[in-house]
Amino acid sequence: MAPHGTGSLFPTAEIARLRRDGTLAAPLPEHLGGAGLCAPDRVDALRRCLTRVGRDSLPVGRLYEGHVNALALVLRYADAETQARLAHDARDGHLFGVWNTEPGDGGLTLDAAGRLHGAKSFASGAGSVTRPLVTARMPDGRRLMLVMRLEPGTRADLSAWRAHGMRATATGTVAFSGLHVGDGAVIGAPDDYSRQPFFFAGAWRFLAVQVGGIEAVVETHRAHLKATGRGGDPHQQARFGQSLIALESSRLLVARAAALAAAETAASARIIAGVNLARAAVEQAGLDVIALAQRSVGLAGFLEDHPLEERMRDLATYLRQPAPDFALTGMAAHVLEAEEPLHDLWPEET
Ligand SMILES: Cc1cc2nc3c(=O)[nH]c(=O)nc-3n(C[C@H](O)[C@H](O)[C@H](O)COP(=O)(O)OP(=O)(O)OC[C@H]3O[C@@H](n4cnc5c(N)ncnc54)[C@H](O)[C@@H]3O)c2cc1C
């Protein structure tokens, strides 16, 4: 059964390829059949993997990032038996995701009898993610992580997902009312989901995907200049050069943020500030490369059959992440309060 309001946009073939080539299982440790990409010493491999998937397709990158995030939470907080069972599901090809965002009214609650009420909104892969990790509020107000077992095509409503970009992510509302929480669905302890620095610092993963989207726009910009023979013009060269600086400085900052988050050696607030610095820089870089490509390519880049058109829409949409002002000002406030010289805030060796 297709989810209500869905078209045929979901990237079924691309996700099937990730399933076949082992990318879906790769976050799992080797003893659970993966490539260990969630281990701290493999953070660079995970970062490059997220950027590569995002470069090929930003919607697929978003879906894969949700899958990785869910498995990372399971590996960090679930007991060994639950980890083994869910690892089996991942190896079996189930797509995971993290659905935390909820509508202003009707957010997900769990009653004392173990019944769910309410819905999740902005849920990527709605109708296709069959093992979503959701957060649900308990009667005492704390939030619990649950991995639910869903049948494909059920409980999803995509009718409101008429977005500017990222349409292929099938981001919709999923209703959970009436479902019982089964044995083994609970991951970790109440409020583990929002434990810091793992919660905020995990933003480095969506940044790695966004770097892939930025690279795709800059690559298209370059292809246009080569194809039209306009690359010799100094104005075009200057804009293209600015785009490259935005891309490569984003890549470096995200690599640093990923290393900082994985090492977990610095104080929590310092790790979060370092990741938030990368968040603000990547958001600005993404906006800049879009504007530069628009000016260099011109009207052709706005036509639906030009590759830049979809890549720009996808990137502009995916740059919208929670509370960007808070990320920037929180980082600035942290550094204003710190006593160390700037060069000691995020030393090279973490
Ligand atoms: C393609 C896509 C897929 C997604 N998939 C998922 C998913 O699978 N699961 C999931 O849980 N979520 C998902 N999301 C939702 C995502 O996690 C964020 O909730 C969403 O992107 C927030 O964007 P926003 O611009 O509405 O953010 P907001 O945080 O609402 O920010 C909008 C503006 O308001 C400002 N602002 C924020 N808070 C305040 C405040 N208190 N006072 C004043 N100003 C404020 C911000 O700085 C910003 O300027 C997805 C989002 C996208 C784009």
Side-chain angles (χ1 to χ4, degrees), residues 62 97-102 121-125 161 165-166 169 171 193 317-326:
R62 158 76 284 265
V98 175
W99 296 344
N100 178 47
T101 311
E102 37 194 35
S121 56
F122 291 129
S124 289
W161 187 240
M166 298 296 274
T169 56
T171 297
Y193 178 76
T317 306
Y318 192 37
L319 287 176
R320 292 306 111 222
Q321 294 295 331
D325 298 329
F326 170 77

Side-chain angles (χ1 to χ4, degrees), residues 336-347:
L336 285 166
E337 279 169 19
E339 299 294 342
E340 303 96 315
L342 293 174
H343 62 261
D344 277 344
L345 291 174
W346 298 287

Side-chain angles (χ1 to χ4, degrees), residues 14-137:
E14 287 87 342
I15 296 294
R17 199 170 58 239
L18 298 184
R19 201 170 273 137
R20 273 197 312 276
D21 70 13
T23 310
L24 285 192
L28 299 170
E30 283 171 19
H31 74 274
L32 291 176
L37 288 193
C38 282
D41 63 349
R42 302 295 317 280
V43 70
D44 222 39
L46 177 59
R47 176 182 62 81
R48 281 185 271 110
C49 175
L50 288 163
T51 298
R52 174 173 50 77
V53 178
R55 181 170 60 222
D56 290 347
S57 160
L58 213 41
V60 176
R62 158 76 284 265
L63 290 161
Y64 185 58
E65 193 275 327
H67 177 84
V68 172
N69 189 11
L71 292 181
L73 287 163
V74 166
L75 294 172
R76 190 172 182 95
Y77 295 118
D79 58 53
E81 193 187 325
T82 307
Q83 285 188 27
R85 190 169 35 76
L86 293 174
H88 178 273
D89 287 352
R91 288 195 309 275
D92 232 24
H94 284 278
L95 187 60
F96 287 64
V98 175
W99 296 344
N100 178 47
T101 311
E102 37 194 35
D105 55 347
L108 202 58
T109 59
L110 178 67
D111 69 21
R115 260 190 322 264
L116 286 170
H117 307 269
K120 286 292 177 184
S121 56
F122 291 129
S124 289
S128 301
V129 165
T130 46
R131 294 292 180 273
L133 184 153
V134 300
T135 49
R137 201 164 293 281

Side-chain angles (χ1 to χ4, degrees), residues 165-240:
M166 298 296 274
R167 292 176 196 159
T169 56
T171 297
T173 301
V174 180
F176 288 91
S177 290
L179 283 183
H180 271 86
V181 172
D183 284 349
V186 175
I187 305 298
D191 285 343
D192 271 353
Y193 178 76
S194 46
R195 264 210 233 180
Q196 301 291 10
F198 197 70
F199 180 36
F200 282 1
W204 78 262
R205 285 186 299 266
F206 72 67
L207 296 178
V209 179
Q210 288 175 343
V211 167
I214 291 173
E215 182 172 344
V217 167
V218 178
E219 194 68 87
T220 312
H221 181 166
R222 177 165 77 151
H224 170 85
L225 292 181
K226 280 172 167 279
T228 56
R230 290 179 169 181
D233 176 76
H235 302 284
Q236 297 284 22
Q237 288 173 345
R239 274 194 296 269
F240 183 66

